[in-house]
Amino acid sequence: MRVLIVGGAGYIGSHVCKALAARGDEPIVFDNLSRGHEHAVRWGPLFKGDIQNRADLDAAFVQYQPEAVMHFAANIEVGEGQREPLAFWENNVAGVVTLLGAMKQAGCHALVFSSTCATYGTPQSLPLTEDEPQTPINVYGRTKLAVEQLLADVASAEDLRYAALRYFNASGASPDGDIGEEHDPETHLIPNALKAAAGLGGPMKLFGTDYDTADGTCERDFIHVMDLAAAHLAALDRLTAGAPSFQCNVGTGTGYSVKAVLDMVEAITGRPVPHEVHGRRAGDPPRLYADVTRSRELLDFQPQYSDLKTIIRDAWNFHRKVWGLVEAEAS
Ligand code: UDP
């Protein structure tokens, strides 16, 4: 099957392209390379274009005639969203309006959309089921919720079927080390902890040790990007088999604390993680972990890579290469 991967040069999109190609599908990457990386486009052609530009999208649909779309292109950094809400609403929401118009014109009716557990805000109960009220507490979460609502409206009136996958904490890297997480600036815990362990960029900031959790630090549900990619393929298959639209968490159901992550980083790297304790970061709920019932039922989803050790080992393997530590160790 030919699939247009919007944002396919980014972290999660590139892993999905690799997984699609491995089973014989054809990923076509549509990306403006503003945050993605051309070197991560290896499993099919790159169409350089912008989702806010309808002519770019129309040209890509005409050239490649994809049967389905997966949409990853979005602004994701929570703090940036608070500072630049207009850019977030334009790219994350207006961009999808434009994409849906192009899909309609091209006669393409299946979409897998990257949503997020940030649409739930601070949960009232755990584990988080898909029926938890969606009350996001930041701009990023609100733009993703707005797209879920947009998709529901369009799907109720038009020939569109979609899957909204609500990711928990995407992490890890391809086990062979060819692609991984390369955000700039990097705000995520695991790459920042690895960076500090590698002695690059000074101590890591640890945001908050006074939460009402077992060790005082926040707890998150880390899902390996390989498992996340597998969930996308299962969602695509479900839609293309004719299933109705659905929303679904993608997590493991287990939360690990920030301190547990730092301990594992130390164990895997064999190096201490220099860090400074700071106050809480605005908008961080104390604990987030998924109820996985629906993902098991709808996607037959069983994580294969998402234990913390594998996640951090694969991330470290990737970052050691990117940061030139492999050569340094060899010489
Ligand atoms: N965190 C931290 N230092 C960092 C990055 C993150 O202490 O440099 C904490 C953050 O406050 C949160 C957890 O690690 O409690 C996970 O944050 P991340 O940004 O990785 O993912 P999020 O849960 O925000 O999607």
Side-chain angles (χ1 to χ4, degrees), residues 55-318:
D56 286 354
L57 285 164
D58 288 343
F61 278 102
V62 167
Q63 185 173 346
Y64 290 106
Q65 307 279 319
E67 291 158 67
V69 175
M70 290 184 169
H71 175 54
F72 299 91
N75 295 24
I76 59 159
E77 208 259 285
V78 171
E80 185 189 359
Q82 302 305 114
R83 295 188 301 273
E84 304 277 349
L86 204 51
F88 269 56
W89 279 86
E90 271 172 3
N91 198 36
N92 295 6
V93 183
V96 181
V97 174
T98 310
L99 174 62
L100 292 176
M103 286 178 67
K104 181 177 176 178
Q105 182 169 311
C108 185
H109 304 298
L111 174 69
V112 180
F113 169 65
S114 304
S115 190
T116 166
C117 64
T119 59
Y120 296 118
T122 303
Q124 288 166 14
S125 59
L126 288 164
L128 270 156
T129 71
E130 288 82 355
D131 299 326
E132 177 80 13
Q134 288 178 290
T135 50
I137 54 172
N138 53 45
V139 172
Y140 169 62
R142 280 192 285 276
T143 61
K144 289 289 183 177
L145 176 58
V147 174
E148 285 202 22
Q149 292 167 337
L150 163 69
L151 293 173
D153 281 350
V154 175
S156 72
E158 313 245 3
D159 187 8
L160 170 74
R161 278 171 309 107
Y162 70 93
L165 300 183
R166 297 179 187 153
Y167 311 162
F168 282 66
N169 288 60
S171 47
S174 191
D176 59 17
D178 58 352
I179 45 175
E181 193 167 7
E182 293 182 86
H183 298 124
D184 184 22
E186 186 53 78
T187 62
H188 292 111
L189 174 63
I190 292 175
N192 280 351
L194 291 171
K195 202 168 164 186
L200 303 169
M204 194 201 90
K205 294 178 178 167
L206 197 174
F207 298 122
T209 53
D210 60 347
Y211 285 97
D212 186 16
T213 56
D215 65 19
T217 64
C218 289
E219 294 172 7
R220 293 290 180 273
D221 182 339
F222 295 94
I223 179 88
H224 195 298
V225 67
M226 295 290 288
D227 287 328
L228 202 44
H232 283 79
L233 270 53
L236 176 71
D237 291 346
R238 196 176 154 80
L239 288 181
T240 53
S245 299
F246 61 97
Q247 301 80 24
C248 189
N249 289 336
V250 188
T252 66
T254 303
Y256 291 100
S257 73
V258 172
K259 273 195 181 146
V261 168
L262 299 194
D263 288 347
M264 187 61 83
V265 167
E266 296 195 344
I268 299 278
T269 62
R271 302 162 183 231
V273 180
H275 60 275
E276 300 164 341
V277 173
H278 285 246
R280 296 180 179 195
R281 191 174 69 174
D284 273 344
R287 303 165 81 208
L288 291 173
Y289 53 93
D291 184 289
V292 297
T293 312
R294 191 181 289 180
S295 64
R296 281 198 188 133
E297 280 172 13
L298 298 189
L299 304 177
D300 198 17
F301 182 61
Q302 298 283 356
Q304 306 292 318
Y305 296 85
S306 293
D307 62 282
L308 202 52
K309 194 171 179 181
T310 305
I311 287 173
I312 292 174
R313 186 198 63 203
D314 289 345
W316 178 233
N317 187 30
F318 172 73

